[in-house]
Amino acid sequence: MNNMKFPSQQIGEFSITAISDGYLCASLDLLSNIDPIDASRLQQDAGVNDPSSIHINCYLVRGRGHTVLIDAGAGGFKQWGGKLKANLALAGVQPSDIDTILLTHAHPDHVGGLIDPSGEAAFPDAELVVHQREVSFWEDDGNLSRASERARGNFLFARKVFDKYRERIRTFTDNEVLPGINAMPLLGHTAGHSGYHLASDDRSLLIWGDIVHFPQIQIARPDVSIAFDQDRLLSAETRSKLLDVVSSDKILIAGMHLGELGFAHIERTGKTYKISYET
């Protein structure tokens, strides 16, 4: 076991570790409902050096007899990320140790790490668990035919990933995906976008997927959506409702595009929200 220290939380029987896959770059012009100059200012005021940089988190969950990976990063797709495997090794985990992969959704920066450089399954012994609506959406030829050129590549890549895990895919429509881990539908980003709520011994954690891509912007301004959202209005509505709940109930949160610290609380002052990372 390496002594490399990763951000971790203990939720009762579950040990959860934030594993960075690295970064991707996305123009602030992709945001709606905000001027890119204002968006850049919010980033800089928060001490973000590169305003267009988006961090990619994956989460390793160990407990109740399982070693689970929630999302698998970009895996070098479009030169994004690609550090997951090396960081897992530093955390003392090999790909063959992972028995379950829970997907929040099937965008390339979440499934790219499921395929190795040779095009084969990177986690050969893992069951891939994903919402039924997510698989149905990406495998629908009508949706593919209507897609833009950029989105078309996402469809083909998602299908490739699903094909490589076809024998080991488990789709769900209800809540519990593993003992102590419930899926939560978080509508707007993709057809089956799901968060995962972990609860054990009176402690809980919500891994909320892609509720935000730029935390310093979208938590202060929940009305700001991004072009990656399939339904921008619904995505903003989901974000606003969720920020209200997690701040009111003081729920510990994690997200695929939070910073490298990985875990945070959302604090509300009046009608304004801010993120406070756990250190």
Side-chain angles (χ1 to χ4, degrees):
M1 174 73 76
N2 194 289
N3 291 325
M4 179 87 176
K5 184 74 175 153
F6 291 94
S8 296
Q9 293 288 324
Q10 193 71 32
I11 304 294
E13 299 170 72
F14 294 114
S15 168
I16 301 99
T17 306
I19 308 284
S20 174
D21 185 52
Y23 286 81
L24 64 87
C25 199
S27 169
L28 297 179
D29 292 336
L30 294 171
L31 297 172
S32 56
N33 258 2
I34 192 169
D35 187 290
I37 294 169
D38 293 335
S40 182
R41 190 178 301 120
L42 280 172
Q43 292 282 73
Q44 287 161 349
D45 288 349
V48 176
N49 294 326
D50 180 356
S52 61
S53 182
I54 296 178
H55 182 242
I56 306 168
N57 270 320
C58 309
Y59 291 89
L60 177 69
V61 181
R62 288 174 279 198
R64 296 198 177 179
H66 288 282
T67 301
V68 179
L69 186 64
I70 303 184
D71 284 358
F77 181 88
K78 292 187 178 177
Q79 284 73 58
W80 298 342
K83 296 183 176 179
L84 172 66
K85 186 177 179 183
N87 280 333
L88 279 174
L90 290 174
V93 176
Q94 297 303 314
S96 57
D97 297 332
I98 305 290
D99 59 69
T100 309
I101 295 162
L102 304 181
L103 278 190
T104 62
H105 63 297
H107 276 157
D109 55 316
H110 300 260
V111 301
L114 293 175
I115 303 286
D116 68 19
S118 69
E120 296 304 314
F123 299 92
D125 303 316
E127 179 181 51
L128 183 63
V129 181
V130 57
H131 198 288
Q132 175 63 56
R133 278 199 306 267
E134 192 71 7
V135 176
S136 297
F137 176 84
W138 295 107
E139 294 193 332
D140 185 295
D141 288 337
N143 291 337
L144 173 62
S145 68
R146 290 186 291 272
S148 67
E149 194 55 43
R150 177 184 66 81
R152 187 177 170 81
N154 293 350
F155 274 88
L156 298 178
F157 194 76
R159 290 177 177 205
K160 179 180 177 182
V161 170
F162 293 149
D163 281 344
K164 292 299 175 185
Y165 287 82
R166 186 69 60 193
E167 303 295 310
R168 301 186 305 284
I169 287 184
R170 171 163 61 94
T171 59
F172 63 86
T173 54
D174 51 4
N175 293 338
E176 188 172 78
V177 292
L178 286 171
I181 304 179
N182 282 344
M184 176 186 290
L186 296 171
L187 305 177
H189 184 53
T190 64
H193 182 239
S194 302
Y196 293 99
H197 186 262
L198 288 75
S200 177
D201 296 350
D202 297 326
R203 290 211 71 201
S204 66
L205 166 71
L206 174 62
I207 298 175
W208 71 11
D210 277 14
I211 287 295
V212 297
H213 290 76
F214 292 103
Q216 308 298 346
I217 298 170
Q218 293 176 286
I219 288 169
R221 288 279 310 277
D223 59 317
V224 174
S225 290
I226 196 165
F228 307 142
D229 293 329
Q230 286 175 8
D231 186 329
R232 295 182 196 182
L233 289 177
L234 183 55
S235 178
E237 185 182 313
T238 296
R239 185 163 40 255
S240 292
K241 286 179 179 174
L242 197 58
L243 290 172
D244 178 37
V245 169
V246 298
S247 60
S248 298
D249 295 348
K250 297 181 169 47
I251 296 172
L252 181 67
I253 58 112
M256 281 51 203
H257 299 304
L258 299 190
E260 291 188 15
L261 290 173
F263 301 92
H265 280 94
I266 303 300
E267 298 171 356
R268 177 167 47 189
T269 306
K271 293 185 177 180
T272 306
Y273 300 100
K274 72 170 186 176
I275 186 166
S276 176
Y277 282 101
E278 297 290 296
T279 55

